[in-house]
Amino acid sequence: MTMRGFRFMAATAIAVAFALPAAAQTVLRFSHTDQQHGARQEAAELFAKKVEELTQGRYKVQVFCCSQLGNDPKNIEQLGFGGIDFTVSGTGSYAPHLPTLNVTALPYLVDNFAQGQAFYDRSKWLQAQFAKAPAKGFRFLATWEAGFRDMTTKTPLASPADAKGMKLRTFPNEMMRWVLEAMGFNIQIMPLPEVYLAIQQGVVQGQENPIDTIASNKFYEVAPYITLTQHVYSPIPLAISERTWQKLSPADRKAVTEAAQIAAAYSRKVVQANEEKLLADMQAHGAKVSRPPLAPFRAAVQPVYAKAREKYGADVDAALADAEAIRKQVK
């Protein structure tokens, strides 16, 4: 072979090598129900970025916000058969698959963010419930923050007396229904994307959600009375489809878990830090924020504990014991 021929073949080989496609990147789908400008979306985007970084680009997470792929129950159902790879939702939304998780929606279980986060991280009872998830088709990676649930209504809500007969939207969760009915509300279940219009048209007179969700969905525009009842602490565990998990190598499982924990730390910091700012912003747009005495609300929901014990037995006392221990340790 002549030198000229050798150079031609070498040049051709180099050109072909550069033309070969890179190793295929696996795209994973992450679906959630909050709006594009909420803290949930911010944390999801950070999670996606970290997954791609920590897996050296082998995996790319595509985030679908705003219920594009389904509401919370549908998203969790899709995890089971691998229709999506990740979702993040309130613990109570997972309860149809793990009924004892309803216990996490007991009213006034913790008093502040630090106690709530410690409960989700350290409660032996709760970790035992989370450990049952893989058998249901998904597993929990980390607990992101959403905050305490508060009320947004069309008329003032100074005490449970004002709740009597008021139609209030909530999500499909047994414990939440018990709590709100004990306060006096008539409960309406409906998907989150339908709530704004339902309030606007008078189908319901209000709804309850954490402050970040209230702000991102602009519920204060149609139900301007924001009442800080803080009746249930409502963080949002991030879950991965068990089918997806089983396909990951040990190194990629570690990377995905680390990304989830990084995003969880971010979520907790941002949601807690932003709450007062969001309240001020909503007030600037016409919302009326009130901080009523909580004693009447706490008294109204006392029957819920007995009702929960009737159905969930020792799980209730185990959860309450862990919460009480944490309240003593974390102020």
Side-chain angles (χ1 to χ4, degrees):
M1 178 183 294
T2 65
M3 181 59 69
R4 182 178 180 182
F6 176 79
R7 287 175 177 167
F8 174 78
M9 289 182 65
T12 302
I14 292 171
V16 170
F18 277 103
L20 287 173
Q25 184 180 53
T26 301
V27 177
L28 303 175
R29 303 205 301 171
F30 184 153
S31 175
H32 70 84
T33 58
D34 208 3
Q35 297 301 309
Q36 194 167 9
H37 49 276
R40 193 174 310 194
Q41 175 71 5
E42 290 180 21
E45 289 172 349
L46 175 61
F47 172 71
K49 177 183 176 183
K50 290 299 177 182
V51 167
E52 191 162 7
E53 287 179 3
L54 294 169
T55 63
Q56 292 77 50
R58 290 188 299 279
Y59 288 92
K60 178 181 177 62
V61 176
Q62 187 174 4
V63 179
F64 296 87
C65 70
C66 319
S67 305
Q68 293 177 69
L69 302 185
N71 58 20
D72 286 309
K74 186 66 176 178
N75 284 336
I76 295 167
E77 180 185 329
Q78 289 188 83
L79 288 180
F81 59 80
I84 61 172
D85 302 287
F86 304 100
T87 196
V88 62
S89 185
T91 314
S93 294
Y94 296 99
H97 306 272
L98 293 167
T100 51
L101 289 183
N102 274 316
V103 175
T104 64
L106 281 167
Y108 300 105
L109 190 63
V110 295
D111 300 326
N112 54 49
F113 279 101
Q115 291 176 5
Q117 291 165 7
F119 178 78
Y120 271 76
D121 291 344
R122 289 158 33 188
S123 166
K124 292 182 179 179
W125 171 81
L126 184 53
Q127 297 310 310
Q129 310 317 305
F130 281 174
K132 301 173 185 176
K136 303 298 183 179
F138 54 89
R139 69 173 59 216
F140 295 111
L141 296 176
T143 300
W144 295 7
E145 188 59 90
F148 287 83
R149 302 182 79 87
D150 295 302
M151 306 288 183
T152 334
T153 54
K154 298 183 82 167
T155 54
L157 183 67
S159 74
D162 296 322
K164 299 297 182 185
M166 185 184 294
K167 290 183 179 179
L168 191 87
R169 178 270 174 187
T170 190
F171 69 104
N173 177 266
E174 178 182 60
M175 189 73 71
M176 192 64 65
R177 177 169 57 81
W178 292 349
V179 170
L180 298 173
E181 287 178 346
M183 290 181 180
F185 293 105
N186 288 337
I187 299 307
Q188 292 282 110
I189 305 298
M190 67 179 66
L192 190 68
E194 298 177 14
V195 177
Y196 186 102
L197 188 60
I199 298 173
Q200 189 175 51
Q201 294 180 341
V203 176
V204 293
Q205 281 72 56
Q207 63 85 50
E208 53 85 47
N209 254 306
I211 293 301
D212 184 77
T213 305
I214 291 170
S216 64
N217 286 274
K218 300 186 177 182
F219 291 139
Y220 60 89
E221 292 181 346
V222 288
Y225 291 91
I226 300 173
T227 308
L228 304 184
T229 52
Q230 298 193 313
H231 47 284
V232 171
Y233 177 62
S234 186
I236 46 175
L238 169 68
I240 182 173
S241 166
E242 185 64 13
R243 291 191 179 194
T244 305
W245 180 261
Q246 293 301 330
K247 294 175 185 176
L248 299 178
S249 69
D252 288 336
R253 289 178 182 179
K254 181 180 178 182
V256 168
T257 302
E258 183 179 347
Q261 291 168 345
I262 290 170
Y266 173 83
S267 171
R268 287 177 168 183
K269 179 180 178 181
V270 166
V271 169
Q272 188 171 354
N274 280 358
E275 192 157 281
E276 291 302 323
K277 178 181 179 297
L278 290 174
L279 287 170
D281 287 346
M282 289 188 286
Q283 282 184 296
H285 286 87
K288 300 168 180 63
V289 177
S290 64
R291 304 172 191 266
L294 296 184
F297 289 96
R298 288 177 179 269
V301 300
Q302 286 305 304
V304 174
Y305 296 97
K307 199 167 187 176
R309 283 189 178 95
E310 288 177 10
K311 181 160 186 178
Y312 298 104
D315 284 299
V316 172
D317 290 313
L320 290 174
D322 282 357
E324 176 62 23
I326 285 167
R327 279 200 301 272
K328 291 177 179 177
Q329 298 164 6
V330 181
K331 300 301 181 183

